[in-house]
Amino acid sequence: MPRRVQLFLALVFLGLGLVVWWAMSQAAEKRLNPNKRDWESFVARQVAEQTAERPYPLRRTLNFSPFEAALERLEAPVLERLQTLTQKATIPELQAEMQAGCLTSEQLTLFYLWRIRRYNDRLRAYLELNPAALEEARARDTERQQGKVRGVLHGIPLSLKDNISTAGPLHTTAGAAVLAEHIADRDAFIVQKLRAAGAVILGKNNLSEWANFMTSQSVNGYSTLGGHTRNPYGPFDVGGSSSGTAVAVAANLAVAGIGSETSGSLIYPAAQNSVFTLKPTLGLVSRDRILPITAAQDTAGPMSKNAPDLAVLMSVITGHDPTDAATQLAEGFSFPPVAKSPALPLRVGWVQHIQRKGDAEALAQVARALGALGAEVVEVPFPESAIEMMPVLHAGMRQDLASYLQTTGAAIRGLQDVLEYNRQHPEAMLYGQDLLETSLAHPLSGAEYQALVDKNRQQGRERLLDLMQEHQVEVLLVVGNSLSVLTSTSGFPVVNFPAGYRQSGEPIGASLVGKPLQDPWLIGLAQAVSEHLKVRKPPLLR
């Protein structure tokens, strides 16, 4: 065969080999991430909307008048000291400072009010401030001087997602114009527990309106009353729906905060804003007077700048609430305020699911940290599922929202009133309201709804447990909220912690999924890994 022909055939086979390799690599990528292009388009739209300059005719203005005189007296040395202290100090360390007389709750609260006044117009993390915040802080200082310390949160300023009910004068709105003047009949059960432990409530955080279940065209972190929440790390998706709480914590506009999740609404914003969160085992935390999507999946959870504070907050908000039957699970369950050290060695299943560039490198770093701690990390496949979650969300929104509105004494009675108000006020539904409309008209009966809830819970539990048992692992490692459909329907706990940053500076979060009631152990494992990694860095705000 002539040499020219041999060379030609060699080039042909090389070309075919490259085509086959490309096709195989694309197929493999599609198996790992079947919706990569859709996901990138989704993220691009989120960022474009969140960072655009636009008017917000119904946005609520924060009222600093109760604090102005005190803020003017705040001394520069105190500010400088607290800027450094609060970025790294845990709640127990802040308590020690106050107990030693080196810090007061009034100083700490004023410091956070000062930061909110400086940065909130840019970040839009808060919807409303508690006008009594400074009075509450001074009262906690007086109690401490008298030898009375209420609990582990005594004098600690916290923020709350604005779907968690508070007694007046604070409103509870879910970011919706129709609830702009709504004041709940009383504090939610978990807010009562926070106050009993001595917490100072700074205010209510912005969120994705109606906890991101208003419209299929929604933008993470957007509400009519708050505008678009922005990521403090840069022009990146802020995540939803507990976005305002995540930003408040990340940007150090509160010591910590309480958000909520139906499916990914704690995990995703925590990952996007480089903070820690726990989506608790369903039933550990009461849903009393928290604006719902569905009781089948809703839960509140803590958000913080470090893992130890998750344990502190959970030790307070965990508990049996007679008005929430699911919390019978918490009866007799004592959540330790100090994270438990994980029992090593253990096997961790690294779920192979890559959403975006940089995910694999960040998770590999976490896997190496786990290995250094004595864990064995093995690769496991992404658990496919055919869970029908949307019908549960629609039917739950229809029945559970009406129950909340009527229980808390709202001026409106249900979804029909919400829809009608928005139709009469188009400025109150910038992106539409098709999910609410579908919820109102959803045909699922009460019995069908409960049957589907039970089916989803069983399938979610079985899929996660089967994956763990098949590969003999005690915990699953995954990027961000990749397993949220399974963890939210099953009620399994998830802890998320900072895992690194993309080349652009965008945060990446890693999640650990455990079995029910392993929450303290998961926090302990996240704490051990985070202390080994030491990757979290605060956003640069000027």
Side-chain angles (χ1 to χ4, degrees):
M1 183 181 295
R3 182 172 179 80
R4 186 177 298 175
V5 175
Q6 289 179 339
L7 180 60
F8 172 75
L9 290 175
L11 290 173
V12 168
F13 284 121
L14 176 61
L16 286 174
L18 289 172
V19 169
V20 170
W21 170 83
W22 180 85
M24 290 177 65
S25 66
Q26 293 298 303
E29 183 174 359
K30 189 172 183 180
R31 284 196 303 273
L32 287 175
N33 185 13
N35 298 309
K36 181 178 180 181
R37 184 172 298 175
D38 291 344
W39 183 251
E40 294 291 353
S41 298
F42 167 82
V43 171
R45 176 178 177 266
Q46 297 294 310
V47 173
E49 290 290 328
Q50 291 163 15
T51 57
E53 294 294 338
R54 66 177 79 233
Y56 299 108
L58 300 181
R59 184 185 173 201
R60 178 165 275 157
T61 302
L62 297 187
N63 179 17
F64 287 93
S65 61
F67 322 117
E68 290 293 355
L71 284 168
E72 292 303 317
R73 295 194 299 270
L74 190 57
E75 298 175 348
V78 174
L79 270 177
E80 186 175 350
R81 175 174 176 258
L82 290 180
Q83 295 274 33
T84 302
L85 175 67
T86 56
Q87 285 291 0
K88 293 186 177 181
T90 63
I91 290 174
E93 289 168 345
L94 291 173
Q95 287 285 12
E97 288 280 318
M98 289 190 281
Q99 197 62 31
C102 302
L103 176 67
T104 67
S105 178
E106 179 180 2
Q107 289 173 332
L108 196 56
T109 301
L110 270 175
F111 166 75
Y112 280 112
L113 289 168
W114 179 84
R115 283 188 66 87
I116 294 168
R117 184 175 65 174
R118 181 170 181 178
Y119 296 114
N120 194 69
D121 275 349
R122 187 194 322 174
L123 300 175
R124 305 179 191 126
Y126 279 85
L127 280 173
E128 186 175 19
L129 295 177
N130 175 14
L134 208 51
E135 296 173 19
E136 292 177 14
R138 288 167 178 157
R140 300 296 83 78
D141 286 334
T142 299
E143 289 173 350
R144 191 183 294 273
Q145 291 166 5
Q146 295 171 348
K148 178 185 178 182
V149 175
R150 295 189 179 197
V152 293
L153 296 177
H154 194 93
I156 299 296
L158 304 176
S159 64
L160 304 173
K161 183 177 179 179
D162 196 26
N163 62 346
I164 301 172
S165 289
T166 44
L170 281 170
H171 299 85
T172 303
T173 70
V178 68
L179 290 179
E181 302 305 319
H182 174 56
I183 295 177
D185 58 327
R186 63 168 173 80
D187 284 339
F189 182 80
I190 62 170
V191 177
Q192 294 176 28
K193 291 175 74 66
L194 291 169
R195 293 190 192 276
V200 174
I201 306 302
L202 279 171
K204 307 294 280 291
N205 295 131
N206 200 4
L207 69 163
S208 308
E209 192 165 334
W210 294 112
N212 225 5
F213 205 69
M214 179 177 182
T215 166
S216 59
Q217 299 301 309
S218 67
V219 171
N220 287 329
Y222 172 78
S223 75
T224 302
L225 296 182
H228 291 89
T229 312
R230 287 181 168 175
N231 193 316
Y233 285 89
F236 313 121
D237 184 11
V238 75
S241 65
S242 301
S243 43
T245 309
V247 170
V249 174
N252 201 23
L253 308 185
V255 173
I258 305 294
S260 71
E261 172 164 329
T262 304
S263 183
S265 288
L266 283 164
I267 301 301
Y268 187 44
Q272 286 297 116
N273 293 279
S274 203
V275 298
F276 295 73
T277 193
L278 174 78
K279 196 283 286 187
T281 297
L282 188 66
L284 283 185
V285 179
S286 170
R287 284 81 55 84
D288 167 65
R289 284 164 174 73
I290 299 178
L291 273 152
I293 294 179
T294 171
Q297 298 178 197
D298 292 347
T299 183
M303 308 187 93
S304 62
K305 292 187 285 292
N306 56 71
D309 287 354
L310 295 180
V312 173
L313 291 163
M314 283 300 297
S315 74
V316 173
I317 64 175
T318 297
H320 177 228
D321 174 8
T323 70
D324 184 350
T327 62
Q328 289 179 358
L329 182 71
E331 193 167 12
F333 183 87
S334 179
F335 206 111
V338 178
K340 292 184 177 180
S341 298
L344 298 169
L346 78 156
R347 277 171 62 91
V348 177
W350 177 2
V351 179
Q352 297 301 290
H353 182 75
I354 306 304
Q355 288 182 313
R356 302 177 60 199
K357 187 176 181 180
D359 290 349
E361 293 81 358
L363 267 289
Q365 186 174 231
V366 173
R368 286 193 294 271
L370 284 163
L373 293 169
E376 180 185 2
V377 181
V378 297
E379 295 184 0
V380 301
F382 185 81
E384 303 293 343
S385 66
I387 289 176
E388 298 178 84
M389 188 169 67
M390 288 301 289
V392 168
L393 304 188
H394 284 301
M397 186 70 162
R398 183 185 65 217
Q399 67 180 30
D400 293 343
L401 178 60
S403 176
Y404 168 87
L405 294 171
Q406 293 164 29
T407 298
T408 59
I412 58 172
R413 310 300 287 171
L415 268 179
Q416 182 64 57
D417 292 341
V418 175
L419 294 170
E420 188 57 36
Y421 177 92
N422 289 341
R423 290 179 188 127
Q424 294 177 13
H425 302 82
E427 68 277 14
M429 53 171 186
L430 178 61
Y431 297 104
Q433 57 178 349
D434 62 301
L435 291 182
L436 297 183
E437 291 168 345
T438 301
S439 296
L440 181 63
H442 204 275
L444 213 61
S445 69
E448 291 169 332
Y449 165 76
Q450 190 56 54
L452 187 53
V453 167
D454 295 341
K455 178 184 176 183
N456 287 351
R457 185 155 298 155
Q458 180 179 353
Q459 287 185 345
R461 289 175 61 91
E462 288 178 351
R463 197 69 195 91
L464 290 172
L465 291 175
D466 287 349
L467 188 65
M468 292 177 181
Q469 291 167 5
E470 180 182 351
H471 297 275
Q472 298 180 336
V473 298
E474 289 88 357
V475 63
L476 299 174
L477 167 67
V478 68
V479 65
N481 64 333
S482 302
L483 287 180
S484 62
V485 171
L486 292 174
T487 57
S488 60
T489 52
S490 66
F492 280 28
V494 187
V495 65
N496 184 269
F497 57 93
Y501 303 85
R502 307 185 202 283
Q503 288 186 348
S504 62
E506 182 179 10
I508 302 173
S511 290
L512 296 169
V513 179
K515 298 172 185 176
L517 301 182
Q518 282 189 327
D519 308 53
W521 179 81
L522 284 177
I523 292 175
L525 185 56
Q527 179 174 332
V529 174
S530 298
E531 289 175 350
H532 186 89
L533 287 174
K534 292 182 171 59
V535 297
R536 185 185 185 271
K537 52 190 178 184
L540 296 176
L541 295 174
R542 293 181 175 84

